[in-house]
Amino acid sequence: MSSVDAKLSPARDGGKPSIIERYRRYLPVTEKTCIISLQEGDTPLIRARNLERYLGSLKGTLSSPEVYLKYEGANPTGSFKDRGMTMAITKAVEEGTTGVICASTGNTSASAAAYAARASIPCFVVIPQGKIAMGKLAQAVMHGARVIAVRGNFDQALTIVREAAERLGLTLVNSLNPYRIDGQMSVAWEVVDALGAAPEFHFLPVGNAGNITAHWRGYNAYRSAGKIQARPRLMGFQAAGSAPIVLGHRVEDPQTIATAIRIGNPASWQSAVAARDESGGIIDKVTDDQIVEAYRLIASLEGVFAEPASAASVAGLIQTWLCGEPKLEGRIVCTLTGHGLKDPERAIASAVVPTEVDADFAAVAREIENRER
Ligand code: AN7
């Protein structure tokens, strides 16, 4: 049993209200529910005017659509997973769980570990050995999760944890857990609350496909509640080497530098296809080169550091803008799913390496003058 205070509420404790408190009426909680929160959500929605000018320059025009970045890296553990995890862990505790388990390409494990620590419950995470970014592994171990690295990929890890949850009586906190999707709907609500309406297009990366499912359900819930009429077209992007939904078949050995979305058999495949079709959107692929290019652009043009998988949304935006189909107009939101600091090794490999000089003024000044030329 967890030792959480039944009255726990971030707002009551003087913090900012958690998403469960803010969106209580759309979520399966009661007044009695003890909320496990790290004050997730309420992330920045950043107008990307430099990126807009860049898009214009690609076509030699000054006009471009309005682009906004929904920066999910600003969540407590540095990714959008916290929106779903606050719900999943809150409900697991409410239902008297003995412990939680997940498979992960990294961010789910970091988030599960943090929220489980806060709830004082055991957390087991199964990851593909050698294929998760260093920052994410650091988080899982620091928060006290039991980390098991399997010699295989994410899809194999997910199969194993589904069986483990069933046979060992643990609560599965992958997005197969419906409470994860419930919490993740809140990203769409925040976008609408900020813009006053739904955007025309919403771009996002697709891996296990829980998040595109949640975005769509979120917009639909707001429409049912009468908050919006029009809904956005959802524009999902997979990495070219891990693009099962685009190809229409499983990928046995998925590959991409964007390890977060290195997934060959997405759990929410059907609902992602439904979100695409019902919204009149697309699910397409972008290459690793396009991902790295977008990753650098977001950081250098806008000062927003997102991890490579997140950049698939902006890579998809650039690709769609260049090919002209569908025609982009109105307001466009790109969800940037995770923080760039999660994967410092990729950042350093993608950028200009620092110049090393002697520790004297003249040597440093020479470098500064060189750069200015
Ligand atoms: C930064 O952590 O699947 O399509 O195990 O970490 O909802 O899977 C992460 C996925 C996009 C894809 N961006 O979202 C995991 C995991 C980032 C991510 C995705 C992930 P889904």
Side-chain angles (χ1 to χ4, degrees), residues 79-81 103-109 136 154 174-175 184 205-212 260-261 263 307 309-310 337-338:
S79 87
F80 73 97
K81 303 286 181 181
S104 183
T105 57
N107 280 323
T108 297
S109 63
K136 304 173 188 181
F154 169 82
N174 280 103
S175 55
Q184 284 175 214
V206 174
N208 214 23
N211 210 25
I212 190 169
I261 52 172
I263 295 174
E307 66 172 282
S310 307
T337 44

Side-chain angles (χ1 to χ4, degrees), residues 242-267:
S242 308
I245 300 177
V246 183
L247 300 172
H249 59 77
R250 284 186 201 182
V251 175
E252 291 302 328
D253 184 22
Q255 296 299 342
T256 170
I257 57 108
T259 51
I261 52 172
R262 187 173 168 270
I263 295 174
N265 184 23

Side-chain angles (χ1 to χ4, degrees), residues 220-239:
N220 281 313
Y222 251 27
R223 195 174 67 153
S224 301
K227 291 244 183 193
I228 51 172
Q229 273 141 26
R231 296 165 297 177
R233 296 167 78 166
L234 292 191
M235 310 289 281
F237 290 84
Q238 301 197 290

